[in-house]
Amino acid sequence: MSYHKELAAAKKAASLAARLCQNVQKALLQSDVQSKTDKTPVTVADYGSQALVSFVLQQELHAEFSLVAEEDSKDLRKDGAQEIVERITKLVNNSLTSDGSYNVTLSTEDVLKAIDSGISEGGCQGRHWVLDPIDGTKGFLRGDQYAIALALLAGGKVVLGVLACPNLPLASLKDAGQHSPNNEVGCLFFAEVGGGTYMQPLDGSSAVKVQVSAVENPEEASFFESYEAAHSMHDLSSLIAQKLGVKAPPVRIDSQAKYGALSRGDGAIYLRFPHKGYREKIWDHAAGCIVVTEAGGVVTDAAGQPLDFSKGKHLDVDTGIIVTNQKLMPLLLNAVKESLKEKAPSS
Ligand SMILES: Nc1ncnc2c1ncn2[C@@H]1O[C@H](COP(=O)(O)OS(=O)(=O)O)[C@@H](OP(=O)(O)O)[C@H]1O
Ligand SMILES: [Mg+2]
Ligand SMILES: [Mg+2]
Ligand SMILES: [Mg+2]
């Protein structure tokens, strides 16, 4: 089974959404930031990106359409939100038409409907697109890393993924701080099941195949974790790293840009241990997971089980998510097991 047509549509949608986000990040207005009922931030760019990706996929693929996405239009339909909806609509129309990709003018209602087509619950049957229109909204607001993360599930398995990372340097993060001749940013990672992982500049020039790090000695490995301490237990990852003998300090960057950076070998390990009670969502990992596995990496929960994207919006993982290459995984799993035992409250 080939997914070439779907991959081309996904790349187009994510690239246009990245441009919309770049424009908003450049001119961030305080009024563009709302707070959702769970107190996490959402911006006009999150909504605009979701509307745009939903619209482009439906235009490009005249097939039955199911989308599981992070945002919905509930808050935008409340009294007083009209101005913000108009602003989102303008952003979406500008992004769709600016390079001649489409000759359309969407109404505010079209945009709200496009956002709301992301209400699917996913599951193990049929095809479902999975979208995080801006992953790492907090990073986006800080002017740091974020990603537009789009994946396709078929029969509950991720079959393609695209990660647009507008602020990620094209050169390896390993060279950060050193004099690097290439300080351009904006990466598009993409992978199709069985086809490997590729990275190309977001401006569209040619793609290169990428591979995860081949490091076998954990002392030479560096690891990624969430920028936000509220999203992942930094003390636990520090204990795991210490047990493994990792020498380098953690690299903290927002969003699935971590999966992208790992897929090209910028670092060898990604550790994610949310605080108790948090349930992971499929849109926070689907695209990243295939981008890393097609580049030769392994993504599991803390018990070594693969992630199961077939159960709806949530991922029911055991304790956390760990990512590395095949050689390091057994050592990493041991270190995780020991660290969790040590940290567990004695009863
Ligand atoms: N409490 C808590 N624990 C764990 N994870 C959480 C939590 N709250 C939010 N989120 C999700 O984290 C997504 C951001 O990804 P990261 O954690 O990799 O980014 S960061 O480095 O911490 O900024 C972020 O994605 P976006 O909402 O798309 O930004 C959330 O889905
Ligand atoms: Mg969010
Ligand atoms: Mg997210
Ligand atoms: Mg998001």
Side-chain angles (χ1 to χ4, degrees):
M1 184 83 198
S2 143
Y3 295 96
H4 291 345
K5 198 166 57 129
E6 287 81 0
L7 182 60
K11 286 172 69 181
K12 183 171 183 178
S15 304
L16 281 172
R19 198 171 314 145
L20 181 152
C21 295
Q22 281 167 302
N23 289 337
V24 176
Q25 199 181 46
K26 261 187 233 149
L28 252 180
L29 302 167
Q30 203 51 40
S31 66
D32 286 343
V33 186
Q34 313 278 301
S35 199
K36 298 203 283 191
T37 40
D38 64 359
K39 302 277 186 287
T40 61
V42 61
T43 72
V44 291
D46 297 66
Y47 289 123
S49 168
Q50 181 159 323
L52 195 147
V53 170
S54 161
F55 175 83
V56 171
L57 290 178
Q58 291 182 74
Q59 285 291 304
E60 299 294 318
L61 308 163
H62 309 279
E64 211 178 298
F65 184 66
S66 166
L67 175 67
V68 189
E70 182 181 358
E71 311 302 344
D72 63 59
S73 76
K74 213 166 57 243
D75 290 345
L76 298 175
R77 291 184 188 272
K78 288 182 180 158
D79 286 349
Q82 187 58 22
E83 206 181 299
I84 230 159
V85 178
E86 275 161 24
R87 179 149 157 65
I88 296 165
T89 305
K90 213 183 218 168
L91 278 168
V92 172
N93 281 326
N94 284 347
S95 309
L96 285 171
T97 54
S98 60
D99 68 348
S101 292
Y102 296 94
N103 183 13
V104 286
T105 308
L106 302 187
S107 67
T108 52
E109 190 52 35
D110 293 335
V111 166
L112 292 173
K113 276 197 186 131
I115 292 170
D116 278 336
S117 60
I119 54 155
S120 169
E121 290 287 326
C124 61
Q125 274 163 12
R127 288 185 178 193
H128 307 278
W129 289 95
V130 179
L131 171 68
D132 194 334
I134 291 188
D135 182 39
T137 306
K138 288 179 181 167
F140 177 76
L141 289 168
R142 252 188 273 109
D144 287 340
Q145 296 302 328
Y146 65 98
I148 294 98
L150 178 60
L152 179 64
L153 297 184
K157 300 255 186 280
V158 187
V159 294
L160 76 81
V162 174
L163 275 183
C165 305
N167 284 342
L168 190 69
L170 287 166
S172 170
L173 296 177
K174 278 195 290 205
D175 306 330
Q178 294 165 21
H179 181 71
S180 162
N182 183 0
N183 52 12
E184 285 168 50
V185 296
C187 305
L188 185 69
F189 297 90
F190 57 94
E192 191 181 326
V193 65
T197 299
Y198 292 81
M199 181 191 82
Q200 71 185 73
L202 261 174
D203 69 16
S205 36
S206 58
V208 291
K209 195 162 192 197
V210 294
Q211 280 285 305
V212 294
S213 160
V215 163
E216 291 181 24
N217 179 356
E219 287 189 18
E220 291 160 21
S222 66
F223 76 97
F224 292 109
E225 65 181 347
S226 291
Y227 182 95
E228 301 283 340
H231 291 181
S232 190
M233 291 186 271
H234 288 169
D235 53 344
L236 179 57
S237 24
S238 147
L239 180 61
I240 296 165
Q242 195 191 317
K243 284 198 187 297
L244 272 172
V246 169
K247 294 226 157 59
V251 180
R252 292 180 178 148
I253 59 173
D254 305 272
S255 83
Q256 286 170 73
K258 292 186 273 296
Y259 283 103
L262 202 126
S263 76
R264 64 180 188 191
D266 290 10
I269 300 168
Y270 170 19
L271 300 173
R272 183 179 181 87
F273 290 92
H275 296 270
K276 216 173 163 51
Y278 183 76
R279 282 182 87 190
E280 294 281 7
K281 319 291 187 312
I282 56 172
W283 53 73
D284 280 320
H285 300 282
C289 186
I290 191 166
V291 160
V292 162
T293 49
E294 283 297 324
V298 192
V299 182
T300 72
D301 69 9
Q305 295 303 313
L307 306 189
D308 182 354
F309 291 93
S310 74
K311 296 268 162 64
K313 283 187 181 181
H314 291 100
L315 276 176
D316 285 320
V317 290
D318 182 337
T319 320
I321 294 175
I322 58 177
V323 186
T324 189
N325 63 28
Q326 298 184 6
K327 284 272 165 55
L328 281 175
M329 190 46 107
L331 292 174
L332 177 56
L333 269 169
N334 262 339
V336 167
K337 214 170 16 181
E338 280 178 25
S339 306
L340 286 172
K341 215 187 295 162
E342 224 168 88
K343 282 260 168 196
S346 43
S347 49

